[in-house]
DNA sequence: ATGGTTGCCAAGCAA
């Protein structure tokens, strides 16, 4: 039985609802996890999702900033909206979904970007990012007979050398500094998570999911980073059937600076 | 080394 899940930092769900509708029509993932919805819950475009076949919606939004949403074609059950660092930010939501006789716990994360200065002593936003990742260590890949976990989202960290256009030039740039990449990799391994994108496409092949708005020509310069991730518990990683980074979506009209990533599974 | 763009919402701030 096939099952697919997508993650996409949409950078305003209301502004880009036409792009979301196009993506859902063309790819029809069972579950879509959005970040940076920038939308209070009472203004979330649930009707448009319903019309697109995504009747089940779990949202944690706030006005203007952040916000995550998990939408699905099959029933989902909210497990938790976890507050990290006691900041009041909407950066996490977890749901349960049934697929192929399994119960899957799906975490949807939006990790703080961290500002420009990679020094926690002088940049509170970077301090917040490091604290957030440290607190994420508590989120482990729970698994059992008939029970699995998936973690997706914009983690705002490109952990491997091959996750950025230039490892050397980005070593001191927020998103690729050693304190961040070691923090995230430590959290992933410690939590027993499998990086499905790198299981599917190991180094040295480059993978990017984000290209800055500031480039004159994002496609030509191709100075991307892998900031968006899909992880699973070990008992689901063997079922991975496909993984796609929808690079073309960066070229759509008025795009997000992130593109969707889709993982598909073959469940028995 | 610097500045480059976008979205929030109507001035900067965050990314």
């Amino acid at each position: 039985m096939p099952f697919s899940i997508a993650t996409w930092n949409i950078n305003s769900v209301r502004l880009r609802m036409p792009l979301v509708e196009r993506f859902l029509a063309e790819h029809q993932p069972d579950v879509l996890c959005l970040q940076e919805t920038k939308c209070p819950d009472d203004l979330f475009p649930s009707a448009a999702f319903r019309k697109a076949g995504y009747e089940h919606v779990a949202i944690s939004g706030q006005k203007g900033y952040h916000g995550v949403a998990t939408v699905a074609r099959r029933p989902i059950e909210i497990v938790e909206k976890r507050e990290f660092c006691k900041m009041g930010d909407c950066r996490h939501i977890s749901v349960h979904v049934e697929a192929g006789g399994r119960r899957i716990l799906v975490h949807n994360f939006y990790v703080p970007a961290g500002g420009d200065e990679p020094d926690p002593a002088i940049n509170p936003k970077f301090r917040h990012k490091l604290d957030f990742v440290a607190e994420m260590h508590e989120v482990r890949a729970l698994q059992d007979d008939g029970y699995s976990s998936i973690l997706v989202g914009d983690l705002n960290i490109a952990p491997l050398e091959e996750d950025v256009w230039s490892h050397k030039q980005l070593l001191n740039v927020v998103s690729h500094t050693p304190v961040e990449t070691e923090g995230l990799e430590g959290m992933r391994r410690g939590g027993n998570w499998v990086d499905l994108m790198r299981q599917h496409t190991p180094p040295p092949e480059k993978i990017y999911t984000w290209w800055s708005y500031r480039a004159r020509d994002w496609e030509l310069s191709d100075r991307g980073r892998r900031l968006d991730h899909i992880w699973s518990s070990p008992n689901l990683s063997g079922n991975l059937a496909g993984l796609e980074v929808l690079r073309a979506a960066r070229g759509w009209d008025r795009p997000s600076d992130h593109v969707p990533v889709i993982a598909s599974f073959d469940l028995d």
Side-chain angles (χ1 to χ4, degrees), chain A residues 126 129-130 133 156-161 163-164 167 170-171 173-189 226 231:
Chain A
F126 195 65
K129 184 179 197 176
L130 298 182
V133 172
N156 264 316
I157 296 172
L160 307 185
E161 295 190 14
D163 293 336
V164 292
H167 171 61
L170 289 177
L171 260 175
V173 172
V174 172
S175 74
H176 194 60
T177 64
V179 64
E180 294 170 84
T181 59
E182 286 162 17
L184 188 69
E185 282 292 84
M187 176 261 157
R188 185 181 62 73
R189 288 196 209 96
R226 182 170 74 113
W231 300 348

Side-chain angles (χ1 to χ4, degrees), chain A residues 53-226:
Chain A
Y54 290 74
E55 295 183 19
H56 309 280
V57 165
I59 49 182
S60 179
Q62 64 187 86
K63 185 180 158 76
Y65 301 98
H66 323 312
V68 291
T70 299
V71 303
R73 302 155 72 186
R74 59 181 74 190
I76 51 178
E77 177 189 318
I78 294 189
V79 173
E80 191 180 15
K81 299 178 188 183
R82 184 160 172 169
E83 186 189 352
F84 286 78
C85 302
K86 299 188 165 61
M87 300 278 288
D89 289 352
C90 297
R91 296 181 176 276
H92 168 266
I93 192 165
S94 56
V95 303
H96 270 138
V97 61
E98 305 277 347
R102 296 187 193 220
R103 191 163 172 78
I104 303 176
L105 175 60
V106 177
H107 290 279
N108 177 1
F109 270 99
Y110 176 48
V111 174
D116 289 330
E117 184 57 56
D119 180 352
I122 61 173
N123 176 8
K125 290 203 278 278
F126 195 65
R127 173 81 270 157
H128 176 210
K129 184 179 197 176
L130 298 182
D131 291 345
F132 193 102
V133 172
E135 200 172 329
M136 280 175 78
H137 278 69
E138 295 166 24
V139 181
R140 302 177 53 82
L142 303 179
Q143 62 173 15
D144 206 335
D145 260 359
Y147 192 88
S148 299
S149 297
I150 293 176
L151 186 156
V152 307
D154 175 7
L155 305 186
N156 264 316
I157 296 172
L160 307 185
E161 295 190 14
E162 297 82 4
D163 293 336
V164 292
W165 63 275
S166 168
H167 171 61
K168 266 191 180 169
Q169 291 181 74
L170 289 177
L171 260 175
N172 200 35
V173 172
V174 172
S175 74
H176 194 60
T177 64
V179 64
E180 294 170 84
T181 59
E182 286 162 17
L184 188 69
E185 282 292 84
M187 176 261 157
R188 185 181 62 73
R189 288 196 209 96
N192 207 23
W193 293 102
V194 180
D195 178 349
L196 295 182
M197 297 174 73
R198 281 313 188 179
Q199 173 183 298
H200 181 268
T201 309
E205 188 161 332
K206 298 269 196 182
I207 309 178
Y208 310 141
T209 65
W210 172 91
W211 293 261
S212 171
Y213 282 127
R214 298 178 190 178
R216 285 198 190 90
D217 184 333
W218 72 272
E219 197 164 25
L220 185 69
S221 56
D222 200 22
R223 295 185 167 189
R225 306 178 200 172
R226 182 170 74 113

Side-chain angles (χ1 to χ4, degrees), chain A residues 8-64:
Chain A
W8 195 6
N9 177 318
I10 197 62
N11 188 13
S12 173
V13 68
R14 283 176 289 173
L15 184 70
R16 290 189 227 288
M17 201 54 210
L19 301 190
V20 175
E21 286 161 351
R22 174 178 173 182
F23 170 71
L24 292 176
E26 291 179 1
H27 294 272
Q28 305 186 356
D30 292 294
V31 177
L32 170 63
C33 296
L34 296 169
Q35 303 85 33
E36 273 206 276
T37 52
K38 296 184 172 178
C39 179
D41 290 352
D42 56 337
L43 297 176
F44 191 82
S46 301
F49 278 101
R50 210 173 303 125
K51 212 169 176 181
Y54 290 74
E55 295 183 19
H56 309 280
V57 165
I59 49 182
S60 179
Q62 64 187 86
K63 185 180 158 76

